[in-house]
Amino acid sequence: MADAKVIPFDDDRSRGSAVPRPQRRRGTGRLRGGGDVQPLPGRFPAQDAGHVNGVEQQGRDESGPDDGGLEQRVASGLAFLRRRLTGDYDVDDFGYDEELTDQVLMSLLRPVYEKYFRVEVKGIENIPSDGGALIVANHSGTLPLDGLMMQVAVHDHHLAGRHLRLLAADLVFVLPVVNELARKLGHTLACAEDAERLLGAGELVGVMPEGFKGIGKPFGERYKLQRFGRGGFVSTALRKGAPIIPCSIVGAEEIYPMIGNAKTLARLLGFPYFPITPTFPWLGPLGAIPLPTKWTIQFGEPIPTDGYPPEAAEDPMLMFNLTDQVREQIQHTLYKLLVQRRSVFF
């Protein structure tokens, strides 16, 4: 199988991380923010495509007969398979495969998003249509499904069809299969250097500063935000003048109610925690099925950072204040959403 073409970044600094990254290769595409990007074959321009609830409908001619639409979809699918087999597709320096994400991975996540968790999205208009921006969200649920659902929310509901690039922990990139899928979806290492490169290229970047402290907290502490680290995400946003968009996610806390933590087993396996829930490990593989809770994802009003001087990124007091502002806004919205919801499952 031929190698895929690579969309190069304009910055070729070494990242100095122990986590391996895809080898940089030459390609013909460009980054958003650095020039034109070649449209995916079979994809219509946004202004010519139909929209349902802000979602761009691709590959369908509304004026043509149904059999013509079916033929077009079959032809598009065969062309997609040919490109995958011949290596005639693009990935960027981080391994992000936009075509595979749009046509395959999002299609696999969408039924979980729409039918299982029935996600309701609010405030999507607070995400800018172009340019770099940093989305900061709470983290919960024992397994990081909240990040994936947030990606689908942005991809399917934003009128500009933006893609969210998530910053993930080192553990994600040492697990077999998970590592490759995360790269294809556009995830990269949660470090300041990667975040700055993405923001500088005009990408939409997502971060969950609670990390394992948030996702692995016991059920009794649900919806209580953990510490947001040292405010590194604020420093990154200040350096690039990117707005910070607080994001509050309700529903993820209850998918795996964590009632215990087998710390000894976690150390043996090299995990930050080993969850014990009402169904896992008692029911075996069936216990790994999340509960079908009803989710709400709300994007708050952007907090601008472009009005600060360049040296502001080195001001610890300013970083502390902005970090606290973002954290308080997320926490306040969580409480408001919890009061508004009727039940955990409906």
Side-chain angles (χ1 to χ4, degrees), residues 156-186:
D156 283 6
H157 290 272
H158 198 278
L159 291 178
R162 302 205 66 178
H163 295 78
L164 180 63
R165 308 291 295 272
L166 286 176
L167 304 179
D170 300 40
L171 180 61
V172 171
F173 301 105
V174 298
L175 295 174
V177 182
V178 173
N179 170 32
E180 290 299 321
L181 288 176
R183 290 290 183 191
K184 296 295 185 183
L185 271 166

PDB file of all heavy atoms in Angstrom, residues 156-186:
ATOM      1  N   ASP A 156     -20.727  18.417  13.906  1.00  0.00           N
ATOM      2  CA  ASP A 156     -22.052  18.290  13.303  1.00  0.00           C
ATOM      3  C   ASP A 156     -22.925  19.535  13.443  1.00  0.00           C
ATOM      4  O   ASP A 156     -23.856  19.721  12.662  1.00  0.00           O
ATOM      5  CB  ASP A 156     -22.797  17.101  13.922  1.00  0.00           C
ATOM      6  CG  ASP A 156     -22.303  15.777  13.372  1.00  0.00           C
ATOM      7  OD1 ASP A 156     -21.327  15.773  12.610  1.00  0.00           O
ATOM      8  OD2 ASP A 156     -22.915  14.735  13.705  1.00  0.00           O
ATOM      9  N   HIS A 157     -22.648  20.380  14.424  1.00  0.00           N
ATOM     10  CA  HIS A 157     -23.556  21.496  14.689  1.00  0.00           C
ATOM     11  C   HIS A 157     -22.998  22.864  14.305  1.00  0.00           C
ATOM     12  O   HIS A 157     -23.778  23.801  14.139  1.00  0.00           O
ATOM     13  CB  HIS A 157     -23.951  21.509  16.169  1.00  0.00           C
ATOM     14  CG  HIS A 157     -24.847  20.375  16.557  1.00  0.00           C
ATOM     15  ND1 HIS A 157     -26.223  20.441  16.469  1.00  0.00           N
ATOM     16  CD2 HIS A 157     -24.558  19.135  17.004  1.00  0.00           C
ATOM     17  CE1 HIS A 157     -26.740  19.282  16.854  1.00  0.00           C
ATOM     18  NE2 HIS A 157     -25.759  18.475  17.189  1.00  0.00           N
ATOM     19  N   HIS A 158     -21.694  22.986  14.202  1.00  0.00           N
ATOM     20  CA  HIS A 158     -21.148  24.301  13.855  1.00  0.00           C
ATOM     21  C   HIS A 158     -21.388  24.582  12.378  1.00  0.00           C
ATOM     22  O   HIS A 158     -21.128  23.741  11.519  1.00  0.00           O
ATOM     23  CB  HIS A 158     -19.658  24.362  14.181  1.00  0.00           C
ATOM     24  CG  HIS A 158     -19.127  25.762  14.253  1.00  0.00           C
ATOM     25  ND1 HIS A 158     -18.764  26.485  13.139  1.00  0.00           N
ATOM     26  CD2 HIS A 158     -18.909  26.570  15.313  1.00  0.00           C
ATOM     27  CE1 HIS A 158     -18.349  27.682  13.514  1.00  0.00           C
ATOM     28  NE2 HIS A 158     -18.423  27.759  14.823  1.00  0.00           N
ATOM     29  N   LEU A 159     -21.886  25.780  12.075  1.00  0.00           N
ATOM     30  CA  LEU A 159     -22.236  26.116  10.699  1.00  0.00           C
ATOM     31  C   LEU A 159     -21.035  26.105   9.766  1.00  0.00           C
ATOM     32  O   LEU A 159     -21.182  25.864   8.570  1.00  0.00           O
ATOM     33  CB  LEU A 159     -22.911  27.495  10.668  1.00  0.00           C
ATOM     34  CG  LEU A 159     -24.306  27.570  11.295  1.00  0.00           C
ATOM     35  CD1 LEU A 159     -24.828  28.994  11.244  1.00  0.00           C
ATOM     36  CD2 LEU A 159     -25.267  26.622  10.579  1.00  0.00           C
ATOM     37  N   ALA A 160     -19.848  26.361  10.306  1.00  0.00           N
ATOM     38  CA  ALA A 160     -18.638  26.352   9.479  1.00  0.00           C
ATOM     39  C   ALA A 160     -18.037  24.960   9.352  1.00  0.00           C
ATOM     40  O   ALA A 160     -17.013  24.792   8.689  1.00  0.00           O
ATOM     41  CB  ALA A 160     -17.599  27.322  10.053  1.00  0.00           C
ATOM     42  N   GLY A 161     -18.659  23.960   9.981  1.00  0.00           N
ATOM     43  CA  GLY A 161     -18.158  22.592   9.875  1.00  0.00           C
ATOM     44  C   GLY A 161     -16.763  22.423  10.442  1.00  0.00           C
ATOM     45  O   GLY A 161     -15.946  21.698   9.866  1.00  0.00           O
ATOM     46  N   ARG A 162     -16.476  23.070  11.557  1.00  0.00           N
ATOM     47  CA  ARG A 162     -15.128  23.033  12.115  1.00  0.00           C
ATOM     48  C   ARG A 162     -14.810  21.686  12.750  1.00  0.00           C
ATOM     49  O   ARG A 162     -15.692  20.941  13.172  1.00  0.00           O
ATOM     50  CB  ARG A 162     -14.935  24.150  13.145  1.00  0.00           C
ATOM     51  CG  ARG A 162     -15.170  25.543  12.577  1.00  0.00           C
ATOM     52  CD  ARG A 162     -14.429  26.598  13.352  1.00  0.00           C
ATOM     53  NE  ARG A 162     -12.983  26.457  13.230  1.00  0.00           N
ATOM     54  CZ  ARG A 162     -12.103  27.284  13.792  1.00  0.00           C
ATOM     55  NH1 ARG A 162     -12.538  28.296  14.531  1.00  0.00           N
ATOM     56  NH2 ARG A 162     -10.816  27.107  13.633  1.00  0.00           N
ATOM     57  N   HIS A 163     -13.510  21.388  12.833  1.00  0.00           N
ATOM     58  CA  HIS A 163     -13.031  20.166  13.458  1.00  0.00           C
ATOM     59  C   HIS A 163     -12.311  20.524  14.758  1.00  0.00           C
ATOM     60  O   HIS A 163     -11.500  21.445  14.789  1.00  0.00           O
ATOM     61  CB  HIS A 163     -12.070  19.413  12.532  1.00  0.00           C
ATOM     62  CG  HIS A 163     -12.717  18.899  11.286  1.00  0.00           C
ATOM     63  ND1 HIS A 163     -12.995  19.701  10.207  1.00  0.00           N
ATOM     64  CD2 HIS A 163     -13.158  17.650  10.955  1.00  0.00           C
ATOM     65  CE1 HIS A 163     -13.561  18.978   9.255  1.00  0.00           C
ATOM     66  NE2 HIS A 163     -13.677  17.735   9.685  1.00  0.00           N
ATOM     67  N   LEU A 164     -12.614  19.784  15.806  1.00  0.00           N
ATOM     68  CA  LEU A 164     -12.000  20.026  17.106  1.00  0.00           C
ATOM     69  C   LEU A 164     -10.803  19.109  17.283  1.00  0.00           C
ATOM     70  O   LEU A 164     -10.914  17.884  17.139  1.00  0.00           O
ATOM     71  CB  LEU A 164     -13.026  19.779  18.225  1.00  0.00           C
ATOM     72  CG  LEU A 164     -12.532  19.980  19.654  1.00  0.00           C
ATOM     73  CD1 LEU A 164     -12.122  21.425  19.887  1.00  0.00           C
ATOM     74  CD2 LEU A 164     -13.624  19.575  20.645  1.00  0.00           C
ATOM     75  N   ARG A 165      -9.648  19.694  17.595  1.00  0.00           N
ATOM     76  CA  ARG A 165      -8.422  18.937  17.815  1.00  0.00           C
ATOM     77  C   ARG A 165      -8.178  18.841  19.321  1.00  0.00           C
ATOM     78  O   ARG A 165      -7.866  19.830  19.983  1.00  0.00           O
ATOM     79  CB  ARG A 165      -7.247  19.634  17.123  1.00  0.00           C
ATOM     80  CG  ARG A 165      -7.470  19.963  15.653  1.00  0.00           C
ATOM     81  CD  ARG A 165      -7.514  18.705  14.806  1.00  0.00           C
ATOM     82  NE  ARG A 165      -6.235  18.033  14.809  1.00  0.00           N
ATOM     83  CZ  ARG A 165      -5.241  18.292  13.935  1.00  0.00           C
ATOM     84  NH1 ARG A 165      -5.410  19.207  13.002  1.00  0.00           N
ATOM     85  NH2 ARG A 165      -4.103  17.632  13.987  1.00  0.00           N
ATOM     86  N   LEU A 166      -8.337  17.650  19.880  1.00  0.00           N
ATOM     87  CA  LEU A 166      -8.231  17.465  21.322  1.00  0.00           C
ATOM     88  C   LEU A 166      -6.800  17.206  21.765  1.00  0.00           C
ATOM     89  O   LEU A 166      -6.029  16.519  21.083  1.00  0.00           O
ATOM     90  CB  LEU A 166      -9.101  16.291  21.762  1.00  0.00           C
ATOM     91  CG  LEU A 166     -10.617  16.513  21.780  1.00  0.00           C
ATOM     92  CD1 LEU A 166     -11.325  15.210  22.156  1.00  0.00           C
ATOM     93  CD2 LEU A 166     -10.992  17.612  22.761  1.00  0.00           C
ATOM     94  N   LEU A 167      -6.440  17.750  22.925  1.00  0.00           N
ATOM     95  CA  LEU A 167      -5.163  17.462  23.573  1.00  0.00           C
ATOM     96  C   LEU A 167      -5.389  16.317  24.543  1.00  0.00           C
ATOM     97  O   LEU A 167      -6.258  16.389  25.413  1.00  0.00           O
ATOM     98  CB  LEU A 167      -4.647  18.698  24.311  1.00  0.00           C
ATOM     99  CG  LEU A 167      -4.485  19.968  23.467  1.00  0.00           C
ATOM    100  CD1 LEU A 167      -3.976  21.119  24.346  1.00  0.00           C
ATOM    101  CD2 LEU A 167      -3.539  19.734  22.302  1.00  0.00           C
ATOM    102  N   ALA A 168      -4.619  15.248  24.401  1.00  0.00           N
ATOM    103  CA  ALA A 168      -4.838  14.029  25.186  1.00  0.00           C
ATOM    104  C   ALA A 168      -3.612  13.683  26.021  1.00  0.00           C
ATOM    105  O   ALA A 168      -2.495  14.121  25.737  1.00  0.00           O
ATOM    106  CB  ALA A 168      -5.195  12.864  24.266  1.00  0.00           C
ATOM    107  N   ALA A 169      -3.825  12.862  27.051  1.00  0.00           N
ATOM    108  CA  ALA A 169      -2.753  12.453  27.959  1.00  0.00           C
ATOM    109  C   ALA A 169      -1.810  11.462  27.276  1.00  0.00           C
ATOM    110  O   ALA A 169      -2.159  10.812  26.285  1.00  0.00           O
ATOM    111  CB  ALA A 169      -3.347  11.831  29.213  1.00  0.00           C
ATOM    112  N   ASP A 170      -0.603  11.332  27.855  1.00  0.00           N
ATOM    113  CA  ASP A 170       0.399  10.415  27.305  1.00  0.00           C
ATOM    114  C   ASP A 170      -0.124   8.991  27.175  1.00  0.00           C
ATOM    115  O   ASP A 170       0.228   8.279  26.223  1.00  0.00           O
ATOM    116  CB  ASP A 170       1.644  10.394  28.210  1.00  0.00           C
ATOM    117  CG  ASP A 170       2.299  11.755  28.348  1.00  0.00           C
ATOM    118  OD1 ASP A 170       1.578  12.758  28.452  1.00  0.00           O
ATOM    119  OD2 ASP A 170       3.545  11.811  28.353  1.00  0.00           O
ATOM    120  N   LEU A 171      -0.959   8.560  28.148  1.00  0.00           N
ATOM    121  CA  LEU A 171      -1.447   7.182  28.150  1.00  0.00           C
ATOM    122  C   LEU A 171      -2.163   6.826  26.859  1.00  0.00           C
ATOM    123  O   LEU A 171      -2.066   5.685  26.381  1.00  0.00           O
ATOM    124  CB  LEU A 171      -2.382   6.984  29.356  1.00  0.00           C
ATOM    125  CG  LEU A 171      -3.001   5.600  29.527  1.00  0.00           C
ATOM    126  CD1 LEU A 171      -1.914   4.548  29.727  1.00  0.00           C
ATOM    127  CD2 LEU A 171      -3.987   5.591  30.687  1.00  0.00           C
ATOM    128  N   VAL A 172      -2.866   7.781  26.271  1.00  0.00           N
ATOM    129  CA  VAL A 172      -3.607   7.530  25.036  1.00  0.00           C
ATOM    130  C   VAL A 172      -2.670   7.077  23.923  1.00  0.00           C
ATOM    131  O   VAL A 172      -3.022   6.213  23.108  1.00  0.00           O
ATOM    132  CB  VAL A 172      -4.371   8.802  24.604  1.00  0.00           C
ATOM    133  CG1 VAL A 172      -4.982   8.641  23.216  1.00  0.00           C
ATOM    134  CG2 VAL A 172      -5.441   9.146  25.628  1.00  0.00           C
ATOM    135  N   PHE A 173      -1.447   7.607  23.900  1.00  0.00           N
ATOM    136  CA  PHE A 173      -0.546   7.367  22.773  1.00  0.00           C
ATOM    137  C   PHE A 173       0.414   6.200  23.000  1.00  0.00           C
ATOM    138  O   PHE A 173       1.326   5.986  22.200  1.00  0.00           O
ATOM    139  CB  PHE A 173       0.231   8.651  22.471  1.00  0.00           C
ATOM    140  CG  PHE A 173      -0.670   9.803  22.140  1.00  0.00           C
ATOM    141  CD1 PHE A 173      -0.884  10.812  23.055  1.00  0.00           C
ATOM    142  CD2 PHE A 173      -1.340   9.850  20.939  1.00  0.00           C
ATOM    143  CE1 PHE A 173      -1.734  11.867  22.773  1.00  0.00           C
ATOM    144  CE2 PHE A 173      -2.204  10.892  20.636  1.00  0.00           C
ATOM    145  CZ  PHE A 173      -2.406  11.908  21.562  1.00  0.00           C
ATOM    146  N   VAL A 174       0.201   5.449  24.082  1.00  0.00           N
ATOM    147  CA  VAL A 174       0.991   4.227  24.285  1.00  0.00           C
ATOM    148  C   VAL A 174       0.101   2.989  24.224  1.00  0.00           C
ATOM    149  O   VAL A 174       0.617   1.870  24.252  1.00  0.00           O
ATOM    150  CB  VAL A 174       1.750   4.265  25.636  1.00  0.00           C
ATOM    151  CG1 VAL A 174       2.737   5.416  25.653  1.00  0.00           C
ATOM    152  CG2 VAL A 174       0.801   4.356  26.816  1.00  0.00           C
ATOM    153  N   LEU A 175      -1.205   3.188  24.133  1.00  0.00           N
ATOM    154  CA  LEU A 175      -2.117   2.052  24.029  1.00  0.00           C
ATOM    155  C   LEU A 175      -2.274   1.640  22.569  1.00  0.00           C
ATOM    156  O   LEU A 175      -2.525   2.476  21.704  1.00  0.00           O
ATOM    157  CB  LEU A 175      -3.493   2.422  24.595  1.00  0.00           C
ATOM    158  CG  LEU A 175      -3.557   2.739  26.094  1.00  0.00           C
ATOM    159  CD1 LEU A 175      -4.950   3.222  26.466  1.00  0.00           C
ATOM    160  CD2 LEU A 175      -3.169   1.520  26.917  1.00  0.00           C
ATOM    161  N   PRO A 176      -2.085   0.360  22.267  1.00  0.00           N
ATOM    162  CA  PRO A 176      -2.260  -0.084  20.878  1.00  0.00           C
ATOM    163  C   PRO A 176      -3.681   0.146  20.402  1.00  0.00           C
ATOM    164  O   PRO A 176      -4.637   0.116  21.187  1.00  0.00           O
ATOM    165  CB  PRO A 176      -1.924  -1.590  20.947  1.00  0.00           C
ATOM    166  CG  PRO A 176      -2.050  -1.966  22.381  1.00  0.00           C
ATOM    167  CD  PRO A 176      -1.752  -0.749  23.176  1.00  0.00           C
ATOM    168  N   VAL A 177      -3.849   0.393  19.130  1.00  0.00           N
ATOM    169  CA  VAL A 177      -5.119   0.672  18.464  1.00  0.00           C
ATOM    170  C   VAL A 177      -5.650   2.047  18.872  1.00  0.00           C
ATOM    171  O   VAL A 177      -5.953   2.888  18.025  1.00  0.00           O
ATOM    172  CB  VAL A 177      -6.190  -0.411  18.743  1.00  0.00           C
ATOM    173  CG1 VAL A 177      -7.483  -0.090  17.986  1.00  0.00           C
ATOM    174  CG2 VAL A 177      -5.682  -1.789  18.339  1.00  0.00           C
ATOM    175  N   VAL A 178      -5.771   2.287  20.177  1.00  0.00           N
ATOM    176  CA  VAL A 178      -6.247   3.585  20.654  1.00  0.00           C
ATOM    177  C   VAL A 178      -5.343   4.697  20.142  1.00  0.00           C
ATOM    178  O   VAL A 178      -5.813   5.767  19.728  1.00  0.00           O
ATOM    179  CB  VAL A 178      -6.318   3.607  22.194  1.00  0.00           C
ATOM    180  CG1 VAL A 178      -6.655   5.000  22.709  1.00  0.00           C
ATOM    181  CG2 VAL A 178      -7.341   2.595  22.691  1.00  0.00           C
ATOM    182  N   ASN A 179      -4.044   4.450  20.161  1.00  0.00           N
ATOM    183  CA  ASN A 179      -3.074   5.438  19.678  1.00  0.00           C
ATOM    184  C   ASN A 179      -3.362   5.830  18.232  1.00  0.00           C
ATOM    185  O   ASN A 179      -3.450   7.020  17.904  1.00  0.00           O
ATOM    186  CB  ASN A 179      -1.660   4.858  19.822  1.00  0.00           C
ATOM    187  CG  ASN A 179      -0.609   5.709  19.131  1.00  0.00           C
ATOM    188  OD1 ASN A 179      -0.738   6.924  19.048  1.00  0.00           O
ATOM    189  ND2 ASN A 179       0.420   5.072  18.623  1.00  0.00           N
ATOM    190  N   GLU A 180      -3.527   4.839  17.361  1.00  0.00           N
ATOM    191  CA  GLU A 180      -3.752   5.117  15.943  1.00  0.00           C
ATOM    192  C   GLU A 180      -5.080   5.828  15.706  1.00  0.00           C
ATOM    193  O   GLU A 180      -5.163   6.783  14.926  1.00  0.00           O
ATOM    194  CB  GLU A 180      -3.705   3.812  15.145  1.00  0.00           C
ATOM    195  CG  GLU A 180      -2.329   3.182  15.043  1.00  0.00           C
ATOM    196  CD  GLU A 180      -1.339   4.093  14.336  1.00  0.00           C
ATOM    197  OE1 GLU A 180      -1.729   4.755  13.346  1.00  0.00           O
ATOM    198  OE2 GLU A 180      -0.182   4.159  14.775  1.00  0.00           O
ATOM    199  N   LEU A 181      -6.121   5.370  16.385  1.00  0.00           N
ATOM    200  CA  LEU A 181      -7.424   6.003  16.204  1.00  0.00           C
ATOM    201  C   LEU A 181      -7.420   7.444  16.697  1.00  0.00           C
ATOM    202  O   LEU A 181      -8.021   8.331  16.070  1.00  0.00           O
ATOM    203  CB  LEU A 181      -8.493   5.199  16.955  1.00  0.00           C
ATOM    204  CG  LEU A 181      -8.867   3.847  16.351  1.00  0.00           C
ATOM    205  CD1 LEU A 181      -9.849   3.121  17.253  1.00  0.00           C
ATOM    206  CD2 LEU A 181      -9.444   4.009  14.952  1.00  0.00           C
ATOM    207  N   ALA A 182      -6.736   7.685  17.827  1.00  0.00           N
ATOM    208  CA  ALA A 182      -6.659   9.044  18.362  1.00  0.00           C
ATOM    209  C   ALA A 182      -5.952   9.971  17.379  1.00  0.00           C
ATOM    210  O   ALA A 182      -6.376  11.108  17.153  1.00  0.00           O
ATOM    211  CB  ALA A 182      -5.944   9.043  19.709  1.00  0.00           C
ATOM    212  N   ARG A 183      -4.863   9.498  16.798  1.00  0.00           N
ATOM    213  CA  ARG A 183      -4.136  10.305  15.808  1.00  0.00           C
ATOM    214  C   ARG A 183      -5.013  10.608  14.603  1.00  0.00           C
ATOM    215  O   ARG A 183      -5.040  11.740  14.098  1.00  0.00           O
ATOM    216  CB  ARG A 183      -2.867   9.567  15.365  1.00  0.00           C
ATOM    217  CG  ARG A 183      -1.779   9.466  16.411  1.00  0.00           C
ATOM    218  CD  ARG A 183      -1.156  10.792  16.678  1.00  0.00           C
ATOM    219  NE  ARG A 183      -0.059  10.697  17.630  1.00  0.00           N
ATOM    220  CZ  ARG A 183       0.524  11.737  18.197  1.00  0.00           C
ATOM    221  NH1 ARG A 183       0.099  12.954  17.911  1.00  0.00           N
ATOM    222  NH2 ARG A 183       1.522  11.577  19.054  1.00  0.00           N
ATOM    223  N   LYS A 184      -5.722   9.607  14.118  1.00  0.00           N
ATOM    224  CA  LYS A 184      -6.576   9.806  12.947  1.00  0.00           C
ATOM    225  C   LYS A 184      -7.664  10.825  13.232  1.00  0.00           C
ATOM    226  O   LYS A 184      -8.064  11.598  12.353  1.00  0.00           O
ATOM    227  CB  LYS A 184      -7.207   8.473  12.519  1.00  0.00           C
ATOM    228  CG  LYS A 184      -6.223   7.410  12.053  1.00  0.00           C
ATOM    229  CD  LYS A 184      -5.503   7.812  10.788  1.00  0.00           C
ATOM    230  CE  LYS A 184      -4.621   6.680  10.267  1.00  0.00           C
ATOM    231  NZ  LYS A 184      -3.863   7.103   9.048  1.00  0.00           N
ATOM    232  N   LEU A 185      -8.173  10.847  14.477  1.00  0.00           N
ATOM    233  CA  LEU A 185      -9.228  11.781  14.856  1.00  0.00           C
ATOM    234  C   LEU A 185      -8.717  13.191  15.108  1.00  0.00           C
ATOM    235  O   LEU A 185      -9.505  14.106  15.347  1.00  0.00           O
ATOM    236  CB  LEU A 185      -9.931  11.271  16.120  1.00  0.00           C
ATOM    237  CG  LEU A 185     -11.118  10.335  15.921  1.00  0.00           C
ATOM    238  CD1 LEU A 185     -11.491   9.661  17.236  1.00  0.00           C
ATOM    239  CD2 LEU A 185     -12.314  11.081  15.355  1.00  0.00           C
ATOM    240  N   GLY A 186      -7.403  13.353  15.089  1.00  0.00           N
ATOM    241  CA  GLY A 186      -6.844  14.689  15.273  1.00  0.00           C
ATOM    242  C   GLY A 186      -6.353  14.981  16.669  1.00  0.00           C
ATOM    243  O   GLY A 186      -6.012  16.118  16.979  1.00  0.00           O
TER     244      GLY A 186
END
